[in-house]
Amino acid sequence: MPSLDPTFAALPLRELAQAALDRARELGVDHADLRSERIRQQSIRLRDAELDGVNETVDSGLAVRVVHRGTWGFAAGTVQTPEAAVRLVEQAVRVAEVSAPVNQEPVILAPEPSHGERTWISSYELDPFEVPDTEKIGLLTDWSRRLLAADAVAHVDAFVYAVKENKFYADTHGTVTTQQRVRLHAALEAVAVDESTGAFETMRTLAPPVGRGWEFMRGVGWDWDAELAALPALLAEKLAAPSIEAGVYDVVVDPSNLWLTIHESIGHATELDRALGYEAAYAGTSFATLDKLDTLKYGSPVMRVTGDRTVEHGLSTVGFDDEGVETQQWDLITGGILTGYQLDRRIAQLKGLNEGRSNGCAFADSPGHAPIQRMANVSLQPAADGPSTAELIAQVKDGLYILGDKSWSIDMQRYNFQFTGQRAFRIKDGKLAGQVKDFAYQATTTDFWGSMEAVGGPETYVLGGAFNCGKGQPGQVAPVSHGCPSALFRGVRILNTVQEAGK
Amino acid sequence: MTGQVSPQQLAERALGHSRAQGAVVLVEETSTANLRWANNTLTTNGVAADRRVTVISTVAGATGTAAAAVTQAGIDEETIEALVRASEKAAGDAGPAPDARALLAPGDAAAARGSRWEEGPAGTDIEVFAGLAPALGEAFDAARSAGQLLFGFAEHTVVSTYLASSTGLRLRHDQPTGKLELNAKSPDFVRSAWGGVPTRDFADVDVLALGAQLGQRLDWQKRRIDLPAGRYETVLPATAVADLMIYLYWTAAARDAADGRTVFSAAGTPSGTKVGQRIGGPGVRLWSDPTAAGIECAPFVTATSSDAQSSVFDNGLALTSTDWIRDGVLEHLLTTRQSAEETGLAVSAPIDNLLLDAGGSGGLEDLTRSTEHGLLLTCLWYIREVDPQSLLLTGLTRDGVYQVEGGEVTGVVNNFRFNESPVDILNRITAAGATEGTLPREWNDYFTRAAMPALRIADFNMSSVSKAS
């Protein structure tokens, strides 16, 4: 079992908290919380089996958030002493004072029981920062060479990105949490170039980013050897594949592609702060507004979507959120009907959802940023005795099977989306019939999920996700996982991207 | 922060501790303040101060020189040595770097010089909004009276960067970056208008005037027209042009082009790229210039990592006005000293601003008045690459698409998803405005310094209708 990083534990965290919270009480705030964070990140990138760059960044600092006379105030700095913590409290109160003329709606936070002193560490085996760089670079070099050895492969990009996140939180209500999470994302992308025409295609590994340690690179939770062995032939087939004929097709979507469609068209659309307009000028709003709760037909009856911050190896998983709320699991869509939202303490109180308690979705990506409502792991549940992917494909007479995420875009109310993929196979009479290229699928959210005829069984379920979900101003980046089975959709509009370019 | 060792002292300490063949130290002092609002009220705010130090060590080995960069926040005199050691260890473990070149020295023609090294860091704090906050309060009152809601964000950031190298470079740059975005909506969120302004100090920001302008746009939106997907003659305001050109710029690494994997690749040419070939219409100039008025940016390379566009070995390289496209011909792609040598192209490292001139004059209103039948956009959103071969991008229109008939706005149209290539667009300009400073709507988290004209584009591909408003 991993243990708490001793250098983080050695910081004078409780002294900082006491100094800050005492000063905050003296200044008469309604609420105060202090976070001390250290986020260690390493990126290693290779190009054609040669090192392109290696960097490591350690972000650390202290953040104080207050509610002062009903207005937020936030201040952050990098010096971690009790004196600096006191100064941050004073700055945060000043920020609240300067902003008071702009505030028309007093901030009240949903109550959360005090959890006292708690420690939480994510589930992983091997801290990636304990593995020598020589081993990491060596492994990526070996994997890149395996791909480059194939005739079809002209170039290979490879990267591994590792994060270790330590957070300490203390508030005026008595909750004090110390937490540690580790996550890892690695991928290789091979490029094939047709020298005679200048045409090129790429294909990337489908291994998802995971809330795991370096063991993932050694085969725990993913079969890298098999994936790397198969990639060159798949890429060669794609380069030579016919261009898709634009039209309407039945589509089986693999979890490696579907997770991103869930993220964009369900994950963001069920964030209550978006539905309330907090993101209206930036990330956008949501068509799934609060007045439609328990009535909006989001999709077909086979659709059940949950939110959680608790699943093992999930990227959004944590013990307590950045407002001291213990994490939970709940339904967002049940039998195809909108039944829940993602909440933080302010909006839970404002709208009285979840019996007036936050479901633990507050997150700040760094000590320099204030927490906002961020995404839980939002996952489409499989059918208990559901079909295999092959059985789903067998139900399609004339269609496509799409794997791997690639390009994505969705509008500011989460209606109209367009996705491409790493590869797609034609399905003819229930069987795969070779790859096609230049495909994209385009739909409106409720039409698409309404056309979902069947979800696969638990054996098709994969936890995908991303490190780079963006939201908020100042911009914040959050990691999040999305689990889903393979699923069958009827009558989806497929574009030809070469035609779209007017060629 | 107060009472700490100065950034210059910290940089010298780091170099003093270095046992590697070469070292570059970057100390970045950042201060930032922000206000955010929605539904005519504040939502979040904050101030933050941050010092981060990057140490790049270069270590010579039997088969070449290696480098690694380690960056850490909150570094002081006690912790700087450990950071230097971590950087040396990482470089030792890394193995030879393909982009290895001798570090630049003050005597090198290519190195930047003279930049007030001794001066202390510049900074900002919440008081930068002392004038804005009451004005915003007034704008909220005005919006409430007009039955409208205001949303938006104001941010001011100042970064002072100190670059010191073991070869003797001592360079410094202050970069103020500011922006205000304002979005007005009807209470049902059906009508929506957006405006944004870049600023260096907020002294020039008139939020009441911007609010009034958006109020007028919402009035235009009272007449609604549904239009189907299709190709339309379309007027793109400067902000939309900026978002498309910035993506083109980000895709312009010579190395990627030479590898045959971008829109700028050209098999069979000496460089493997389209440099020297016509890619846009006559008169089109796209360039960057660190001294461009109002959008000044660092006149030297500060690279905390190596990739296809930059090299840590190039730190301190002087940056000067560079034409990427001149008279429609691709002149330069983004190179490091290494990728320039490999492709036979000139050294032209990334510069943090972008300008476009398409030979036009006048403003958005003039372009609208001269449009017989077409669409007028407000901005673009959620722009993503669909096909690198043609640099096909997709995205959405946002916050007001207007129908123009006989030079007049006749009403608001539904939003669209577009599929278009910024390279292709440069060949389909039917009219252009004058180049003006603008805030890119989509990319302003990363890129704020842009000067672009409004453009009218023939047959802009609106691929499908978006129900979003």
Side-chain angles (χ1 to χ4, degrees), chain A residues 45 47 56 58-59 72 99 104 157 281-282 407-409 411 413 416 473 500, chain B residues 41 43 45 52 71 73 181 256 261 306 382 384-385 398 417 441 445 466 469:
Chain A
R45 297 172 309 283
R47 201 159 153 138
E56 187 170 329
V58 182
D59 202 4
W72 287 123
S99 338
Q104 317 280 346
D157 294 338
Y282 182 68
S407 174
W408 74 101
S409 177
D411 71 38
Q413 267 177 291
N416 175 306
Q473 288 182 306
E500 286 296 308
Chain B
T41 186
T43 50
N45 56 16
R52 57 189 55 219
T71 303
E181 291 190 70
D256 292 334
R261 53 198 289 193
S306 288
Y382 225 120
R384 294 294 183 275
E385 184 177 298
R398 185 171 185 180
R417 167 174 300 287
R441 172 78 189 274
D445 284 341
S466 153
S469 58

mmCIF file of all heavy atoms in Angstrom, chain A residues 45 47 56 58-59 72 99 104 157 281-282 407-409 411 413 416 473 500, chain B residues 41 43 45 52 71 73 181 256 261 306 382 384-385 398 417 441 445 466 469:
data_model
loop_
_atom_site.group_PDB
_atom_site.id
_atom_site.type_symbol
_atom_site.label_atom_id
_atom_site.label_comp_id
_atom_site.label_asym_id
_atom_site.label_seq_id
_atom_site.Cartn_x
_atom_site.Cartn_y
_atom_site.Cartn_z
ATOM 1 N N ARG A 45 8.692 12.995 -23.605
ATOM 2 C CA ARG A 45 8.207 12.875 -24.986
ATOM 3 C C ARG A 45 9.322 12.380 -25.886
ATOM 4 O O ARG A 45 10.455 12.875 -25.805
ATOM 5 C CB ARG A 45 7.700 14.235 -25.492
ATOM 6 C CG ARG A 45 6.521 14.784 -24.720
ATOM 7 C CD ARG A 45 6.193 16.208 -25.151
ATOM 8 N NE ARG A 45 7.371 17.066 -25.133
ATOM 9 C CZ ARG A 45 7.901 17.580 -24.037
ATOM 10 N NH1 ARG A 45 7.359 17.334 -22.855
ATOM 11 N NH2 ARG A 45 8.977 18.342 -24.105
ATOM 12 N N ARG A 47 10.324 11.283 -30.036
ATOM 13 C CA ARG A 47 9.938 11.414 -31.423
ATOM 14 C C ARG A 47 10.865 10.493 -32.204
ATOM 15 O O ARG A 47 12.081 10.617 -32.080
ATOM 16 C CB ARG A 47 10.127 12.862 -31.837
ATOM 17 C CG ARG A 47 9.335 13.211 -33.031
ATOM 18 C CD ARG A 47 9.149 14.702 -33.080
ATOM 19 N NE ARG A 47 8.977 15.029 -34.470
ATOM 20 C CZ ARG A 47 8.097 15.884 -34.925
ATOM 21 N NH1 ARG A 47 7.333 16.529 -34.096
ATOM 22 N NH2 ARG A 47 7.986 16.105 -36.206
ATOM 23 N N GLU A 56 9.970 18.263 -15.717
ATOM 24 C CA GLU A 56 9.269 18.010 -14.479
ATOM 25 C C GLU A 56 8.883 19.361 -13.897
ATOM 26 O O GLU A 56 9.668 20.309 -13.924
ATOM 27 C CB GLU A 56 10.181 17.259 -13.518
ATOM 28 C CG GLU A 56 9.428 16.848 -12.298
ATOM 29 C CD GLU A 56 10.218 15.885 -11.410
ATOM 30 O OE1 GLU A 56 11.026 15.102 -11.927
ATOM 31 O OE2 GLU A 56 9.998 15.936 -10.198
ATOM 32 N N VAL A 58 7.009 21.115 -10.414
ATOM 33 C CA VAL A 58 6.401 20.975 -9.090
ATOM 34 C C VAL A 58 5.697 22.288 -8.775
ATOM 35 O O VAL A 58 6.322 23.336 -8.683
ATOM 36 C CB VAL A 58 7.446 20.665 -7.998
ATOM 37 C CG1 VAL A 58 6.746 20.470 -6.660
ATOM 38 C CG2 VAL A 58 8.256 19.438 -8.367
ATOM 39 N N ASP A 59 4.388 22.189 -8.672
ATOM 40 C CA ASP A 59 3.573 23.352 -8.376
ATOM 41 C C ASP A 59 3.193 23.236 -6.905
ATOM 42 O O ASP A 59 2.638 22.222 -6.492
ATOM 43 C CB ASP A 59 2.320 23.266 -9.252
ATOM 44 C CG ASP A 59 1.665 24.607 -9.457
ATOM 45 O OD1 ASP A 59 2.217 25.611 -8.983
ATOM 46 O OD2 ASP A 59 0.604 24.636 -10.089
ATOM 47 N N TRP A 72 -17.458 36.187 -1.967
ATOM 48 C CA TRP A 72 -16.222 35.408 -2.033
ATOM 49 C C TRP A 72 -14.997 36.309 -1.980
ATOM 50 O O TRP A 72 -15.000 37.410 -2.511
ATOM 51 C CB TRP A 72 -16.099 34.670 -3.368
ATOM 52 C CG TRP A 72 -16.958 33.498 -3.623
ATOM 53 C CD1 TRP A 72 -17.816 33.359 -4.679
ATOM 54 C CD2 TRP A 72 -17.021 32.281 -2.890
ATOM 55 N NE1 TRP A 72 -18.411 32.127 -4.629
ATOM 56 C CE2 TRP A 72 -17.949 31.441 -3.536
ATOM 57 C CE3 TRP A 72 -16.397 31.814 -1.731
ATOM 58 C CZ2 TRP A 72 -18.271 30.166 -3.085
ATOM 59 C CZ3 TRP A 72 -16.716 30.544 -1.276
ATOM 60 C CH2 TRP A 72 -17.636 29.738 -1.944
ATOM 61 N N SER A 99 -14.620 43.413 -4.499
ATOM 62 C CA SER A 99 -15.624 42.818 -5.394
ATOM 63 C C SER A 99 -17.049 43.020 -4.909
ATOM 64 O O SER A 99 -17.988 42.716 -5.641
ATOM 65 C CB SER A 99 -15.414 41.315 -5.545
ATOM 66 O OG SER A 99 -14.134 40.932 -5.236
ATOM 67 N N GLN A 104 -24.371 40.632 -6.144
ATOM 68 C CA GLN A 104 -25.785 40.921 -5.881
ATOM 69 C C GLN A 104 -26.466 39.746 -5.190
ATOM 70 O O GLN A 104 -27.655 39.799 -4.906
ATOM 71 C CB GLN A 104 -26.523 41.189 -7.209
ATOM 72 C CG GLN A 104 -25.777 42.068 -8.188
ATOM 73 C CD GLN A 104 -25.893 43.542 -7.856
ATOM 74 O OE1 GLN A 104 -26.727 43.938 -7.054
ATOM 75 N NE2 GLN A 104 -25.041 44.363 -8.449
ATOM 76 N N ASP A 157 5.426 9.136 -32.470
ATOM 77 C CA ASP A 157 5.480 10.008 -31.293
ATOM 78 C C ASP A 157 5.115 9.161 -30.080
ATOM 79 O O ASP A 157 4.207 8.331 -30.159
ATOM 80 C CB ASP A 157 4.445 11.133 -31.377
ATOM 81 C CG ASP A 157 4.733 12.099 -32.509
ATOM 82 O OD1 ASP A 157 5.887 12.154 -32.949
ATOM 83 O OD2 ASP A 157 3.789 12.775 -32.943
ATOM 84 N N ALA A 281 -20.588 32.694 -20.343
ATOM 85 C CA ALA A 281 -19.747 33.513 -21.208
ATOM 86 C C ALA A 281 -18.526 32.753 -21.697
ATOM 87 O O ALA A 281 -17.778 33.239 -22.522
ATOM 88 C CB ALA A 281 -19.288 34.766 -20.468
ATOM 89 N N TYR A 282 -18.312 31.551 -21.190
ATOM 90 C CA TYR A 282 -17.090 30.822 -21.531
ATOM 91 C C TYR A 282 -17.430 29.409 -22.002
ATOM 92 O O TYR A 282 -17.753 29.204 -23.153
ATOM 93 C CB TYR A 282 -16.143 30.834 -20.321
ATOM 94 C CG TYR A 282 -14.824 30.154 -20.569
ATOM 95 C CD1 TYR A 282 -13.898 30.700 -21.448
ATOM 96 C CD2 TYR A 282 -14.509 28.970 -19.927
ATOM 97 C CE1 TYR A 282 -12.693 30.071 -21.683
ATOM 98 C CE2 TYR A 282 -13.299 28.339 -20.153
ATOM 99 C CZ TYR A 282 -12.390 28.887 -21.038
ATOM 100 O OH TYR A 282 -11.200 28.252 -21.268
ATOM 101 N N SER A 407 -10.817 13.661 -32.980
ATOM 102 C CA SER A 407 -11.284 15.046 -32.998
ATOM 103 C C SER A 407 -12.638 15.153 -32.309
ATOM 104 O O SER A 407 -13.466 14.255 -32.422
ATOM 105 C CB SER A 407 -11.404 15.495 -34.454
ATOM 106 O OG SER A 407 -11.975 16.763 -34.551
ATOM 107 N N TRP A 408 -12.868 16.274 -31.600
ATOM 108 C CA TRP A 408 -14.137 16.452 -30.916
ATOM 109 C C TRP A 408 -14.513 17.923 -30.904
ATOM 110 O O TRP A 408 -13.646 18.789 -30.852
ATOM 111 C CB TRP A 408 -14.060 15.909 -29.494
ATOM 112 C CG TRP A 408 -13.275 16.771 -28.541
ATOM 113 C CD1 TRP A 408 -13.791 17.628 -27.615
ATOM 114 C CD2 TRP A 408 -11.850 16.887 -28.410
ATOM 115 N NE1 TRP A 408 -12.778 18.258 -26.927
ATOM 116 C CE2 TRP A 408 -11.582 17.832 -27.400
ATOM 117 C CE3 TRP A 408 -10.774 16.298 -29.065
ATOM 118 C CZ2 TRP A 408 -10.287 18.197 -27.024
ATOM 119 C CZ3 TRP A 408 -9.475 16.664 -28.698
ATOM 120 C CH2 TRP A 408 -9.251 17.589 -27.686
ATOM 121 N N SER A 409 -15.809 18.193 -30.964
ATOM 122 C CA SER A 409 -16.291 19.568 -30.866
ATOM 123 C C SER A 409 -17.785 19.525 -30.582
ATOM 124 O O SER A 409 -18.506 18.703 -31.148
ATOM 125 C CB SER A 409 -16.012 20.320 -32.170
ATOM 126 O OG SER A 409 -16.534 21.634 -32.115
ATOM 127 N N ASP A 411 -21.299 22.217 -29.254
ATOM 128 C CA ASP A 411 -21.687 23.622 -29.077
ATOM 129 C C ASP A 411 -21.865 23.980 -27.602
ATOM 130 O O ASP A 411 -21.802 23.136 -26.717
ATOM 131 C CB ASP A 411 -22.916 23.972 -29.930
ATOM 132 C CG ASP A 411 -24.204 23.344 -29.427
ATOM 133 O OD1 ASP A 411 -24.411 23.257 -28.208
ATOM 134 O OD2 ASP A 411 -25.028 22.949 -30.270
ATOM 135 N N GLN A 413 -24.314 24.786 -25.808
ATOM 136 C CA GLN A 413 -25.416 24.260 -25.001
ATOM 137 C C GLN A 413 -25.447 22.742 -25.034
ATOM 138 O O GLN A 413 -26.371 22.129 -24.529
ATOM 139 C CB GLN A 413 -26.753 24.818 -25.496
ATOM 140 C CG GLN A 413 -27.151 26.073 -24.758
ATOM 141 C CD GLN A 413 -28.420 26.646 -25.308
ATOM 142 O OE1 GLN A 413 -28.450 27.156 -26.431
ATOM 143 N NE2 GLN A 413 -29.486 26.543 -24.548
ATOM 144 N N ASN A 416 -25.204 20.169 -30.494
ATOM 145 C CA ASN A 416 -24.656 19.698 -31.771
ATOM 146 C C ASN A 416 -23.201 19.287 -31.592
ATOM 147 O O ASN A 416 -22.372 20.096 -31.205
ATOM 148 C CB ASN A 416 -24.764 20.834 -32.802
ATOM 149 C CG ASN A 416 -24.099 20.491 -34.136
ATOM 150 O OD1 ASN A 416 -22.923 20.113 -34.184
ATOM 151 N ND2 ASN A 416 -24.828 20.614 -35.222
ATOM 152 N N GLN A 473 -12.945 30.352 -15.749
ATOM 153 C CA GLN A 473 -12.052 31.483 -15.966
ATOM 154 C C GLN A 473 -11.630 32.010 -14.612
ATOM 155 O O GLN A 473 -12.522 32.363 -13.830
ATOM 156 C CB GLN A 473 -12.750 32.573 -16.778
ATOM 157 C CG GLN A 473 -12.939 32.185 -18.241
ATOM 158 C CD GLN A 473 -13.593 33.300 -19.039
ATOM 159 O OE1 GLN A 473 -14.648 33.778 -18.653
ATOM 160 N NE2 GLN A 473 -12.984 33.698 -20.142
ATOM 161 N N GLU A 500 -16.104 17.627 -46.734
ATOM 162 C CA GLU A 500 -16.358 18.793 -45.888
ATOM 163 C C GLU A 500 -15.346 19.897 -46.172
ATOM 164 O O GLU A 500 -15.647 21.072 -46.021
ATOM 165 C CB GLU A 500 -16.307 18.406 -44.400
ATOM 166 C CG GLU A 500 -17.520 17.634 -43.930
ATOM 167 C CD GLU A 500 -18.814 18.432 -44.001
ATOM 168 O OE1 GLU A 500 -18.835 19.550 -43.471
ATOM 169 O OE2 GLU A 500 -19.792 17.936 -44.598
ATOM 170 N N THR B 41 -24.229 39.231 -11.381
ATOM 171 C CA THR B 41 -23.605 39.215 -10.058
ATOM 172 C C THR B 41 -22.254 38.499 -10.106
ATOM 173 O O THR B 41 -21.984 37.710 -11.014
ATOM 174 C CB THR B 41 -24.538 38.569 -9.010
ATOM 175 O OG1 THR B 41 -23.936 38.700 -7.716
ATOM 176 C CG2 THR B 41 -24.773 37.105 -9.294
ATOM 177 N N THR B 43 -19.393 35.879 -9.425
ATOM 178 C CA THR B 43 -19.361 34.444 -9.092
ATOM 179 C C THR B 43 -18.055 34.072 -8.396
ATOM 180 O O THR B 43 -18.078 33.520 -7.317
ATOM 181 C CB THR B 43 -19.580 33.551 -10.335
ATOM 182 O OG1 THR B 43 -18.704 33.972 -11.374
ATOM 183 C CG2 THR B 43 -21.023 33.612 -10.794
ATOM 184 N N ASN B 45 -13.598 35.264 -7.756
ATOM 185 C CA ASN B 45 -12.582 36.303 -7.876
ATOM 186 C C ASN B 45 -11.292 35.757 -7.286
ATOM 187 O O ASN B 45 -11.263 34.645 -6.758
ATOM 188 C CB ASN B 45 -13.021 37.563 -7.130
ATOM 189 C CG ASN B 45 -13.338 37.284 -5.667
ATOM 190 O OD1 ASN B 45 -12.964 36.239 -5.124
ATOM 191 N ND2 ASN B 45 -14.024 38.198 -5.025
ATOM 192 N N ARG B 52 8.193 30.844 -10.059
ATOM 193 C CA ARG B 52 8.659 29.514 -10.442
ATOM 194 C C ARG B 52 10.011 29.608 -11.130
ATOM 195 O O ARG B 52 10.284 30.548 -11.864
ATOM 196 C CB ARG B 52 7.638 28.730 -11.244
ATOM 197 C CG ARG B 52 7.121 29.338 -12.503
ATOM 198 C CD ARG B 52 5.955 28.520 -13.044
ATOM 199 N NE ARG B 52 4.923 28.379 -12.030
ATOM 200 C CZ ARG B 52 4.220 27.250 -11.831
ATOM 201 N NH1 ARG B 52 4.415 26.197 -12.573
ATOM 202 N NH2 ARG B 52 3.306 27.204 -10.894
ATOM 203 N N THR B 71 11.133 22.417 -13.342
ATOM 204 C CA THR B 71 10.498 23.669 -12.932
ATOM 205 C C THR B 71 9.847 23.482 -11.570
ATOM 206 O O THR B 71 9.205 22.461 -11.336
ATOM 207 C CB THR B 71 9.401 24.069 -13.947
ATOM 208 O OG1 THR B 71 9.987 24.173 -15.234
ATOM 209 C CG2 THR B 71 8.765 25.396 -13.569
ATOM 210 N N ALA B 73 7.760 25.642 -8.262
ATOM 211 C CA ALA B 73 7.205 26.860 -7.665
ATOM 212 C C ALA B 73 7.706 26.990 -6.241
ATOM 213 O O ALA B 73 8.060 26.003 -5.595
ATOM 214 C CB ALA B 73 5.688 26.806 -7.688
ATOM 215 N N GLU B 181 -13.964 40.141 -20.967
ATOM 216 C CA GLU B 181 -14.980 39.556 -21.846
ATOM 217 C C GLU B 181 -16.337 39.868 -21.257
ATOM 218 O O GLU B 181 -16.545 39.703 -20.050
ATOM 219 C CB GLU B 181 -14.807 38.044 -21.938
ATOM 220 C CG GLU B 181 -13.557 37.632 -22.679
ATOM 221 C CD GLU B 181 -13.556 36.136 -22.946
ATOM 222 O OE1 GLU B 181 -14.368 35.686 -23.765
ATOM 223 O OE2 GLU B 181 -12.756 35.432 -22.314
ATOM 224 N N ASP B 256 7.414 19.196 -38.272
ATOM 225 C CA ASP B 256 6.232 18.390 -38.585
ATOM 226 C C ASP B 256 5.960 18.406 -40.088
ATOM 227 O O ASP B 256 5.601 17.386 -40.673
ATOM 228 C CB ASP B 256 5.009 18.932 -37.837
ATOM 229 C CG ASP B 256 5.109 18.722 -36.332
ATOM 230 O OD1 ASP B 256 5.802 17.775 -35.904
ATOM 231 O OD2 ASP B 256 4.509 19.510 -35.578
ATOM 232 N N ARG B 261 3.624 15.482 -42.390
ATOM 233 C CA ARG B 261 2.401 15.238 -41.631
ATOM 234 C C ARG B 261 1.592 16.478 -41.324
ATOM 235 O O ARG B 261 0.808 16.457 -40.384
ATOM 236 C CB ARG B 261 2.760 14.491 -40.336
ATOM 237 C CG ARG B 261 3.830 15.166 -39.545
ATOM 238 C CD ARG B 261 4.467 14.219 -38.541
ATOM 239 N NE ARG B 261 3.580 13.897 -37.456
ATOM 240 C CZ ARG B 261 3.979 13.291 -36.329
ATOM 241 N NH1 ARG B 261 5.252 12.922 -36.173
ATOM 242 N NH2 ARG B 261 3.124 13.031 -35.388
ATOM 243 N N SER B 306 11.563 21.311 -24.718
ATOM 244 C CA SER B 306 11.820 21.176 -26.149
ATOM 245 C C SER B 306 10.665 20.431 -26.799
ATOM 246 O O SER B 306 10.099 19.511 -26.209
ATOM 247 C CB SER B 306 13.104 20.378 -26.393
ATOM 248 O OG SER B 306 14.236 21.134 -26.046
ATOM 249 N N TYR B 382 -15.175 26.442 -29.872
ATOM 250 C CA TYR B 382 -14.900 24.996 -29.849
ATOM 251 C C TYR B 382 -14.260 24.538 -31.151
ATOM 252 O O TYR B 382 -14.721 23.620 -31.823
ATOM 253 C CB TYR B 382 -16.146 24.170 -29.521
ATOM 254 C CG TYR B 382 -15.830 23.086 -28.507
ATOM 255 C CD1 TYR B 382 -16.464 23.019 -27.286
ATOM 256 C CD2 TYR B 382 -14.851 22.141 -28.780
ATOM 257 C CE1 TYR B 382 -16.141 22.049 -26.350
ATOM 258 C CE2 TYR B 382 -14.523 21.167 -27.864
ATOM 259 C CZ TYR B 382 -15.175 21.128 -26.648
ATOM 260 O OH TYR B 382 -14.855 20.166 -25.744
ATOM 261 N N ARG B 384 -11.673 22.730 -33.332
ATOM 262 C CA ARG B 384 -10.813 21.548 -33.214
ATOM 263 C C ARG B 384 -10.423 21.060 -34.602
ATOM 264 O O ARG B 384 -11.184 21.192 -35.564
ATOM 265 C CB ARG B 384 -11.539 20.399 -32.486
ATOM 266 C CG ARG B 384 -11.864 20.660 -31.031
ATOM 267 C CD ARG B 384 -10.624 20.778 -30.146
ATOM 268 N NE ARG B 384 -10.972 20.949 -28.741
ATOM 269 C CZ ARG B 384 -11.247 22.110 -28.151
ATOM 270 N NH1 ARG B 384 -11.239 23.231 -28.871
ATOM 271 N NH2 ARG B 384 -11.540 22.165 -26.873
ATOM 272 N N GLU B 385 -9.254 20.428 -34.666
ATOM 273 C CA GLU B 385 -8.762 19.910 -35.935
ATOM 274 C C GLU B 385 -9.489 18.614 -36.289
ATOM 275 O O GLU B 385 -9.608 17.720 -35.470
ATOM 276 C CB GLU B 385 -7.259 19.643 -35.788
ATOM 277 C CG GLU B 385 -6.594 19.194 -37.060
ATOM 278 C CD GLU B 385 -5.092 19.027 -36.850
ATOM 279 O OE1 GLU B 385 -4.431 20.024 -36.523
ATOM 280 O OE2 GLU B 385 -4.606 17.896 -36.983
ATOM 281 N N ARG B 398 -21.099 31.538 -32.532
ATOM 282 C CA ARG B 398 -21.572 31.776 -31.166
ATOM 283 C C ARG B 398 -21.963 33.238 -30.953
ATOM 284 O O ARG B 398 -21.324 34.126 -31.517
ATOM 285 C CB ARG B 398 -20.451 31.387 -30.196
ATOM 286 C CG ARG B 398 -20.869 31.467 -28.740
ATOM 287 C CD ARG B 398 -19.821 30.879 -27.818
ATOM 288 N NE ARG B 398 -20.337 30.890 -26.442
ATOM 289 C CZ ARG B 398 -19.677 30.455 -25.382
ATOM 290 N NH1 ARG B 398 -18.470 29.952 -25.517
ATOM 291 N NH2 ARG B 398 -20.216 30.501 -24.178
ATOM 292 N N ARG B 417 -22.623 24.715 -37.096
ATOM 293 C CA ARG B 417 -21.302 24.085 -37.024
ATOM 294 C C ARG B 417 -20.617 24.291 -38.373
ATOM 295 O O ARG B 417 -21.224 24.040 -39.411
ATOM 296 C CB ARG B 417 -21.425 22.579 -36.752
ATOM 297 C CG ARG B 417 -20.091 21.831 -36.984
ATOM 298 C CD ARG B 417 -20.132 20.376 -36.579
ATOM 299 N NE ARG B 417 -20.440 20.266 -35.165
ATOM 300 C CZ ARG B 417 -19.591 20.563 -34.178
ATOM 301 N NH1 ARG B 417 -18.370 21.000 -34.463
ATOM 302 N NH2 ARG B 417 -19.963 20.448 -32.933
ATOM 303 N N ARG B 441 -11.560 35.013 -29.237
ATOM 304 C CA ARG B 441 -12.553 34.486 -28.296
ATOM 305 C C ARG B 441 -12.159 33.106 -27.780
ATOM 306 O O ARG B 441 -12.231 32.822 -26.593
ATOM 307 C CB ARG B 441 -13.929 34.381 -28.980
ATOM 308 C CG ARG B 441 -14.993 33.661 -28.125
ATOM 309 C CD ARG B 441 -15.506 34.579 -27.071
ATOM 310 N NE ARG B 441 -16.356 33.978 -26.056
ATOM 311 C CZ ARG B 441 -17.665 33.787 -26.128
ATOM 312 N NH1 ARG B 441 -18.295 34.099 -27.250
ATOM 313 N NH2 ARG B 441 -18.346 33.300 -25.125
ATOM 314 N N ASP B 445 -7.160 32.115 -23.519
ATOM 315 C CA ASP B 445 -6.464 31.555 -22.343
ATOM 316 C C ASP B 445 -4.964 31.419 -22.626
ATOM 317 O O ASP B 445 -4.149 31.417 -21.711
ATOM 318 C CB ASP B 445 -6.995 30.157 -22.004
ATOM 319 C CG ASP B 445 -8.348 30.220 -21.328
ATOM 320 O OD1 ASP B 445 -8.701 31.290 -20.815
ATOM 321 O OD2 ASP B 445 -9.052 29.188 -21.319
ATOM 322 N N SER B 466 -26.833 24.295 -35.463
ATOM 323 C CA SER B 466 -26.755 24.030 -34.025
ATOM 324 C C SER B 466 -27.945 24.712 -33.363
ATOM 325 O O SER B 466 -28.236 25.872 -33.643
ATOM 326 C CB SER B 466 -25.447 24.577 -33.461
ATOM 327 O OG SER B 466 -25.604 24.892 -32.096
ATOM 328 N N SER B 469 -28.066 28.542 -28.392
ATOM 329 C CA SER B 469 -28.219 29.986 -28.515
ATOM 330 C C SER B 469 -27.333 30.678 -27.503
ATOM 331 O O SER B 469 -26.713 30.052 -26.675
ATOM 332 C CB SER B 469 -29.676 30.377 -28.292
ATOM 333 O OG SER B 469 -30.101 29.935 -27.031
#
